[in-house]
């Protein structure tokens, strides 16, 4: 399957120009991305379980057209997208083949999400995904949701 990105319609939105987002992950496979809520009251937290990869960084909104997935559907994404036929998931499975108990089926159910903010592009590969609203700053909200599973 050729790699492509489709928009994900979430039940939450965040401040598109708010520069303060926090990405945290644990050794237990839980990752959270917290951002200021669109209305400026509290935070929106995106939460993944069974996380195998989480990153945040370039490109920002002014350079997003340079992202390798931009012409594969990312240009249509306003908030978040899901990557079908993800090369990232394929590379994670391939690098894990050296593990003595490697099982490629463990990678079959993973989903690759891309989340766009003004300053960064976040990519997470995980088993499950949920959203939360928390009446706290992004850092406090991220810590609270992440620690719920500790």
């Amino acid at each position: 399957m050729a790699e492509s990105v489709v928009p994900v319609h979430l039940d939450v939105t965040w401040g598109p120009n708010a520069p303060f987002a926090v990405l945290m992950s644990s050794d237990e496979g839980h990752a959270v991305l917290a951002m200021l809520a669109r209305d400026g009251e509290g935070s929106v937290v995106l939460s993944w379980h069974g996380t195998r990869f989480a990153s945040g960084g370039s490109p920002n909104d002014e350079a997003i057209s340079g992202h390798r997935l931009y012409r594969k559907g990312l240009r249509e994404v306003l908030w978040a997208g899901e990557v079908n036929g993800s090369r990232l998931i394929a590379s994670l499975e391939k690098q894990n083949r050296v593990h003595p108990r490697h099982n490629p089926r463990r990678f079959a159910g993973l989903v690759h999400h891309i989340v766009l903010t003004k300053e960064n592009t976040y990519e997470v590969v995980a088993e499950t995904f949920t959203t939360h609203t928390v009446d706290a700053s992004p850092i406090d909200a991220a810590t609270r949701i992440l620690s719920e599973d500790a």
Side-chain angles (χ1 to χ4, degrees):
M1 169 191 302
E3 202 171 31
S4 64
V5 182
V6 294
V8 172
H9 301 287
L10 304 175
D11 58 351
V12 295
T13 57
W14 48 92
N17 295 318
F20 190 69
V22 176
L23 176 66
M24 294 181 177
S25 64
S26 72
D27 284 344
E28 290 80 30
H30 189 186
V32 295
L33 176 62
M35 299 153 288
L36 292 171
R38 186 172 185 94
D39 62 9
E41 297 292 324
S43 297
V44 167
V45 182
L46 309 181
S47 175
W48 293 268
H49 285 85
T51 302
R52 306 293 172 78
F53 178 90
S55 72
S58 296
N60 66 9
D61 65 335
E62 294 168 348
I64 194 66
S65 62
H67 193 286
R68 68 180 189 79
L69 294 171
Y70 186 76
R71 288 178 180 75
K72 296 181 178 184
L74 186 57
R75 80 173 96 202
E76 308 304 324
V77 171
L78 179 60
W79 300 99
E82 183 175 311
V83 181
N84 295 316
S86 171
R87 286 185 5 206
L88 176 55
I89 293 174
S91 71
L92 293 171
E93 187 276 327
K94 184 178 179 180
Q95 79 181 8
N96 192 260
R97 290 177 187 170
V98 299
H99 193 284
R101 291 187 307 272
H102 173 69
N103 182 344
R105 289 189 304 261
R106 291 182 181 155
F107 295 82
L110 297 177
V111 178
H112 177 179
H113 285 111
I114 294 184
V115 180
L116 304 175
T117 67
K118 178 159 183 56
E119 299 301 327
N120 288 297
T121 299
Y122 295 91
E123 298 194 48
V124 178
V125 172
E127 295 172 3
T128 63
F129 169 75
T130 57
T131 61
H132 309 268
T133 54
V134 179
D135 188 20
S137 70
I139 190 131
D140 290 339
T143 303
R144 186 179 307 168
I145 298 298
L146 192 63
S147 66
E148 286 179 357
D149 287 342

